[in-house]
Amino acid sequence: LRTCWSYQRFKNSIQDNFNAQAAGLLAPTDWYVVKATEVSGYSVPSAITTYRAAVRTKINAMETAIDNCANVDALITLLTYTTDSDGVSSRPLGEFPDEVV
C-alpha cells in the first residue's frame, strides 16, 4: 500500500511541476484577458486566445497521460527524450506550444 501511495504522490508531483510550467507560460498574456474584462470594446487578439487554449489543452493531455501510467517504467518512458535519425529530440509526453511573441 505504501508503494502505491508513494507512486501516486510522485505522479502528482510531476503534474504539479507541469501545471506550474503552464501557469508560467500563460502569465505573460494574462493582462490581455484582464484588459478584456475591464475595457469595453476590447477583445483579446485571436493569436493570444489560440495560444492560451493550446497551453490549456496540452496541460490537460499531459495530466491524462501521466494519470494513465500504471507504473514507474511507463512514467519514465513518457518523460524520456529520445533522438531520432535526423537528430530531433522528443518525448512521448510532448511539449507545450511555442510562446506567442
Side-chain angles (χ1 to χ4, degrees), residues 34-43:
V34 172
K35 182 176 179 180
T37 63
E38 295 178 348
V39 177
S40 177
Y42 177 80
S43 60

Side-chain angles (χ1 to χ4, degrees), residues 3-69:
T3 302
C4 291
W5 182 80
S6 295
Y7 176 59
Q8 185 59 49
R9 209 166 136 203
F10 179 60
K11 287 193 327 185
N12 290 345
S13 174
I14 291 170
Q15 288 174 326
D16 289 348
N17 285 334
F18 282 115
N19 278 314
Q21 187 177 355
L25 292 171
L26 293 173
T29 59
D30 284 348
W31 71 271
Y32 289 98
V33 177
V34 172
K35 182 176 179 180
T37 63
E38 295 178 348
V39 177
S40 177
Y42 177 80
S43 60
V44 179
S46 64
I48 300 298
T49 302
T50 300
Y51 169 72
R52 291 175 64 85
V55 170
R56 287 190 300 274
T57 298
K58 186 59 185 175
I59 191 59
N60 290 339
M62 288 174 154
E63 286 181 330
T64 298
I66 292 167
D67 279 339
N68 290 338
C69 289

